[in-house]
Amino acid sequence: MPIGDLAPELAVLLTAVAVLLLAMVLPQRRHGWCALLAAAGLALSMAFAWAQSDAHRLTFSGTFALDGATTWARFAIPGLTLLCVGLAPRWFATDRRHGEFYAMLLFSTLGAMAMAGAADLMQLVMGVLLSSVTGYVLAAYHRDWAISLEAGMKYFLVGALANALLVIGVVFVMGMAGSTDYRDLAGAIPDNPVALAGLTLVLMGLFFKLGAVPAHTWVPDVAEGAPAPAAAFLTVIPKLAAAVALYRLVALTPETQALPLLVALVAAATMTVGNLCALWQDDVRRLVGWSSISQTGYALMAVAVAGAVPDALPALLAFMSVYGIANLLAFAAIVELRGRTAIADYRGLIRKHPGPAIALTLAFLSFVGIPPLAGFLGKFALFVATLEAGLAWLVVVAVANTILSLFYYLRVIGPAVFSRPEGAMATLGGTARATFWALFALLLATTFLWSPVWSALPRALLP
């Protein structure tokens, strides 16, 4: 059990503890220093991940996988969390628990990293639970605001049920197969109703982290009610980890046709429900929440063909990377506008604040998949992989949903660009503005540098 193999995770853990201790001794006006410490710890974690990027083995008695997908997660999860940290200092400037926010953020990041590298069902459970418990706190962090408390409670209730089902599923699988180790489970899970029910329950727990049907109802409430930096984090980071974890699990059982079919049906239902419910939303944050559900549906297309086509894994990772950047950019624009999210408030936004207006437009068009944006390239990779696996019906559903989604994005973009402005709208500035422009540049860079990004993505998992 070489401790050095978990250097990126340990960097996040020790930084979280240090941030918590620092927040206890600093006066509230100095809690911004906790953000600097958190950012340094996340950067150190990414440096350790770079040093281990060539690793391709199982470690800690086979419970943790060091492979290309884990390396991607070790860059994407801390990297995007670092950007979430940049959104927080001015948002929480008057909050007495400002410093503790970064500790919770880091502990949740650690849970996501543990989930992404899990090569054992018990390790997966620990990662999911750590990510979930800290997520409940982040969702209800504005405890004096009823909407935030409601978001945290809904997240907790759905999560409690989903995580209980996850643990029950692990018990079923272990009882039928005699092991929780992925190496032992690969090709050895009995083809009987109890084992299949166990796998389905495990998938249900991961569907909750992804915000997929039927465990999706927490997403719009958290997107609207959680502090905007926390909402940005919770609608992106756990999804990145759960996507990798779900792919690993489905790839274990290529001979079990019921599992990929179940994922394909959930993918179709998730993208359809997300888009239909987003159509008439009047709050931009809820709209982005429902949109993130639909984006999960597209990502599940790659999971449904896991192991069936060579480009399924890179298509999933590429799509999730672009989705994460675009979703954070949308929330960064909202943070820069000090949390104003009523669609009516966005009328004429491009004349008052062209930066946030252009950023929202760019993020939304990337969600739709308008060429030549990186969102189009990510969706195209998903569609090609799904077609190669023979699931043409799922591609047809996805294309129809893509066209449908354009309607509700235009409900925001249209008034923001073509209507006359009504009243003034203040901006936040500070590190939030710097983060906003960094995400803007990152989304454009991903578009122009798509070819090297695509070439660098892993093609296979550890057996």
Side-chain angles (χ1 to χ4, degrees):
M1 295 186 180
I3 295 295
D5 285 350
L6 298 184
E9 289 75 19
L10 289 172
V12 174
L13 172 61
L14 296 177
T15 303
V17 174
V19 166
L20 189 58
L21 294 175
L22 184 62
M24 291 172 61
V25 299
L26 284 179
Q28 191 273 333
R29 67 182 184 278
R30 301 294 185 189
H31 278 193
W33 292 1
C34 295
L36 292 175
L37 180 57
L42 291 166
L44 180 62
S45 174
M46 295 173 69
F48 284 138
W50 176 262
Q52 296 181 0
S53 58
D54 293 332
H56 194 75
R57 63 182 182 277
L58 294 172
T59 189
F60 276 76
S61 301
T63 61
F64 198 82
L66 297 177
D67 58 10
T70 301
T71 298
W72 172 85
R74 283 173 158 185
F75 281 109
I77 292 173
L80 294 179
T81 302
L82 179 60
L83 293 166
C84 293
V85 169
L87 296 176
R90 288 209 174 183
W91 186 277
F92 289 100
T94 59
D95 194 308
R96 292 179 58 193
R97 298 169 300 130
H98 179 188
E100 288 92 332
F101 174 80
Y102 303 106
M104 287 296 102
L105 207 65
L106 290 172
F107 282 126
S108 191
T109 300
L110 177 61
M113 295 172 73
M115 199 192 320
D120 185 283
L121 289 176
M122 297 305 295
Q123 168 71 20
L124 176 64
V125 168
M126 288 190 293
V128 169
L129 292 180
L130 179 56
S131 174
S132 298
V133 170
T134 49
Y136 307 149
V137 177
L138 291 171
Y141 213 77
H142 285 332
R143 59 186 179 184
D144 295 329
W145 189 30
I147 296 179
S148 185
L149 289 178
E150 180 183 355
M153 183 56 67
K154 287 184 178 179
Y155 193 19
F156 167 73
L157 292 175
V158 177
L161 175 60
N163 291 336
L165 295 177
L166 169 66
V167 174
I168 294 171
V170 170
V171 172
F172 282 0
V173 173
M174 184 178 179
M176 291 294 100
S179 176
T180 57
D181 190 308
Y182 284 9
R183 291 173 298 176
D184 299 332
L185 295 177
I189 300 177
D191 190 10
N192 61 48
V194 176
L196 183 59
L199 285 172
T200 302
L201 292 177
V202 174
L203 261 62
M204 187 67 68
L206 292 175
F207 287 159
F208 159 69
K209 299 306 297 180
L210 275 164
V213 170
H216 65 288
T217 51
W218 61 272
V219 180
D221 292 284
V222 168
E224 179 188 20
F233 177 88
L234 293 171
T235 55
V236 171
I237 305 303
K239 288 175 180 279
L240 302 182
V244 175
L246 187 61
Y247 189 98
R248 288 188 193 278
L249 194 62
V250 174
L252 284 178
T253 57
E255 72 284 348
T256 306
Q257 294 301 316
L259 216 57
L261 178 59
L262 173 63
V263 175
L265 293 174
V266 170
T270 299
M271 65 179 75
T272 303
V273 169
N275 284 322
L276 289 177
C277 291
L279 286 177
W280 301 110
Q281 296 295 325
D282 292 324
D283 184 278
V284 175
R285 285 175 64 172
R286 285 191 71 85
L287 184 148
V288 173
W290 284 111
S291 167
S292 73
I293 294 173
S294 71
Q295 299 299 311
T296 293
Y298 300 123
L300 287 174
M301 295 170 65
V303 178
V305 299
V309 292
D311 284 342
L313 180 59
L316 174 65
L317 301 184
F319 177 81
M320 292 304 294
S321 299
V322 176
Y323 158 75
I325 295 168
N327 206 70
L328 288 188
L329 178 60
F331 272 103
I334 292 169
V335 170
E336 171 64 5
L337 296 173
R338 304 181 73 89
R340 297 286 290 275
T341 56
I343 289 182
D345 292 335
Y346 283 61
R347 296 176 63 87
L349 180 64
I350 198 166
R351 302 184 189 183
K352 294 184 289 186
H353 303 292
I358 294 172
L360 272 176
T361 301
L362 191 66
F364 286 170
L365 294 181
S366 186
F367 287 152
V368 177
I370 300 297
L373 296 174
F376 164 76
L377 299 170
K379 274 192 178 180
F380 183 76
L382 289 177
F383 292 174
V384 170
T386 308
L387 282 173
E388 288 181 359
L391 295 179
W393 66 269
L394 185 55
V395 176
V396 171
V397 173
V399 171
N401 272 280
T402 297
I403 297 171
L404 177 64
S405 68
L406 187 60
F407 172 78
Y408 61 82
Y409 292 127
L410 289 177
R411 289 188 62 230
V412 181
I413 297 172
V417 174
F418 298 109
S419 297
R420 297 182 63 181
E422 297 179 0
M425 183 183 291
T427 55
L428 194 62
T431 58
R433 181 172 300 168
T435 303
F436 159 74
W437 285 114
L439 283 161
F440 189 94
L442 189 57
L443 185 57
L444 291 179
T446 307
T447 300
F448 291 112
L449 300 176
W450 180 263
S451 181
V453 169
W454 176 258
S455 300
L457 292 171
R459 260 57 186 175
L461 300 171
L462 277 171

